[in-house]
Each structure stands twice: as structure tokens, then as C-alpha cells.
Amino acid sequence: MRNILLLFLSFGIASCCQVKQQETASLPVNVMSFNIRYDNPGDSLNSWQYRRDRAATAIHFYDADILGTQEVLHNQLEDLKQRLPEYDVVGVGREDGKEKGEYSALWYKKERFALLDSGNFWLSETPEVAGSKGWDGACERIASWVKLRDKVSGKEYFALNTHLDHVGVAARREGVSLMLDKVNELSGGAPVIVTGDFNAAPESDVIRHVTDTGNPKHLTDAREISPIVYGPSWSFHNYGKIPYEERPLIDYVFVRNGLKVLKYGILAETEGDAFLSDHAPVLVTVE
């Protein structure tokens, strides 16, 4: 009888462990891409001082685990650090590799993830040279990346965040080619998450190049494979000044290497006449 009881206990423990492993293996990750709009006093009542608390509250409310932010000036980085104490952040100013110019700052929940590696590169012919401007670009452009280990499931993730040039055609085209090469080089086969403002619509050559299945380095647009899509089909509204039917989708979350997309949303919310930014954040849940 004792042997039978021990056998049943062993089966029970094994079953519980197996269920637990299955639960942790599929634990979802909330990913947000958010162009917060640089701190421009000319934005009047839409300037950062009036939006910073609302923007941080939205990040908390939507419970982003990994967050790619664009157009972040150093004072905005410090404001968000103060308001998002549960996150660690990776990134440098694009003009000098330190604190000057906009960051493409990449945030992650420090209780959820352990940082294994991180870095930055410039979207230029000399990606390792801080402050280098690429091709016909109007501005310096930078990408920041992290390799993370999920403390719950033990799984590793590679995440990259960037902001492509708004003027240079060649800079966008060459920039995404460089980005795909770097993702392929740095990710080491881990599941990939890429967030960013690509300043290009889904039908553009730029995005088609990113998602071209004929390229073994391609990424997949999370919107295209999500079973649930919420919100409008655009992400940039310029504080509501662009006519609704003319607003473009230029902000993205891309995935690769076995990530399943559970839901996708564009958060085009307002509080009265007040906006989170001139862009709407993109929120995606993956596992």
C-alpha cells in the first residue's frame, strides 16, 4: 500500500510540475512602441510638461513589459525614470552617444527580466561611430537593443528599438537593411521583438523590405498575424491636426523566431482635448 501511495504522489508531483512548466513557458509579454514627441515648448498645451504624467500613467495602465520609446530627450528620460521606477532603461543620445539629442530608449521591467547584454548602433555607413549621420538622412539615427532573460520562464528575448529618418529615402532604405543585418547578427536565434517609428507606411518599399519573406532575415508585422486587432489603422495624427482619413500608420512592432502574437492595438485615446503624444502608442501581446 505504501508503495502504491508513493507512486501516486510521484505522478501527482510530476503532473503539477509539468502544468507549471507549461504555464510559465507561455507567459505572455506586453510590448509597447511609443513615440513620446520630443520636448518642444512650441507645442503649447501639448508640450511635454502637460503630457508627462499622462504618458507614464498610460504605460503603467497598459502594463508594458518591454517598451520602445522614440524622440526622448535627456530631461524626458529623467522624467520617465522618476515615474517608472519599476523599469530599467537602455539607450544613449543619438548626437554624441551620451546625453545629447534624442534617445531611442528601450525599457524593460526589472523584476520580470534580467539583462544579459545591450548596446547601440547608428543607422549610418559607420554604425559604431557615435553621432554619425547616414546616407541622405536629415538627422542622426540610432538603434538600441537588449538581450533579456525572462526570470519566470527562463526564456531569452532579443529586443531592438529605433527611429528611421523622416526625410532621407536612402537613409530609410539602407537603415532597415542595416537593422535586419544587426538583428540577425545579435539575436543569436532568440525570439525577436523590434519596435520603432519607421516613418513609412505598410505599403512602402521600406516596410515591404522588412517583411519580405524571400529574405531569410525578414521580420513579421505583428498587426498582420494578430487574431485580435483593436483601434484605428493609423498611428500618427499630429495632435489631431491631420484629417482622420489621411493619418498614416508609421509605428510598428515586428516579431521573429517563433513568437506568437495574441493581440494588437493602437491606443488612440484622448482625455478631453488632451493627447498622450502626436503619435498613438502601439501595444502588442506576444508569447
Side-chain angles (χ1 to χ4, degrees), residues 8 17 30 35 37 45-46 81 102 128 138 150 165 187 210 229 240 276 284:
F8 274 117
C17 290
N30 292 328
N35 184 323
R37 172 67 172 175
L45 293 178
N46 287 314
K81 279 183 179 179
E102 296 176 8
E128 308 308 322
D150 190 329
D165 201 72
S187 63
V210 174
V229 175
L276 293 173
V284 176

Side-chain angles (χ1 to χ4, degrees), residues 62-232:
Y62 288 108
D63 197 26
D65 296 303
I66 297 173
L67 166 68
T69 52
Q70 303 90 39
E71 294 196 20
V72 186
L73 296 179
H74 188 72
N75 67 296
Q76 294 175 290
L77 185 82
E78 294 301 319
D79 285 342
L80 288 175
K81 279 183 179 179
Q82 182 181 354
R83 289 161 175 79
L84 304 172
E86 68 272 41
Y87 292 83
D88 272 339
V89 61
V90 168
V92 294
R94 69 187 187 188
E95 292 183 26
D96 64 355
K98 297 176 183 177
E99 298 179 356
K100 187 177 179 182
E102 296 176 8
Y103 293 64
S104 287
L106 188 53
W107 310 72
Y108 61 92
K109 281 187 179 176
K110 52 192 175 185
E111 286 191 4
R112 173 78 185 268
F113 298 102
L115 180 65
L116 303 179
D117 200 1
S118 66
N120 311 277
F121 61 88
W122 276 258
L123 304 184
S124 75
E125 297 93 329
T126 52
E128 308 308 322
V129 177
S132 55
K133 190 184 297 185
W135 304 283
D136 58 349
C139 305
E140 305 86 354
R141 298 293 177 176
I142 193 172
S144 295
W145 60 270
V146 293
K147 188 172 282 188
L148 305 171
R149 186 183 72 249
D150 190 329
K151 295 179 182 179
V152 179
S153 68
K155 293 185 177 296
E156 293 185 9
Y157 294 86
F158 176 85
L160 180 145
N161 180 54
T162 193
H163 187 181
L164 296 186
D165 201 72
H166 63 301
V167 174
V169 175
R172 287 193 294 273
R173 183 182 65 246
E174 300 298 333
V176 293
S177 293
L178 174 63
M179 180 200 71
L180 291 173
D181 288 344
K182 287 288 189 179
V183 167
N184 197 60
E185 171 192 338
L186 296 166
S187 63
V192 168
I193 297 164
V194 171
T195 54
D197 175 354
F198 281 66
N199 274 309
E203 65 275 11
S204 67
D205 291 342
V206 171
I207 302 304
R208 286 177 177 172
H209 181 47
V210 174
T211 60
D212 178 12
T213 56
N215 181 355
K217 301 175 184 177
H218 79 278
L219 306 173
T220 301
D221 184 353
R223 183 184 182 94
E224 296 302 313
I225 59 172
S226 178
I228 301 172
V229 175
Y230 172 78

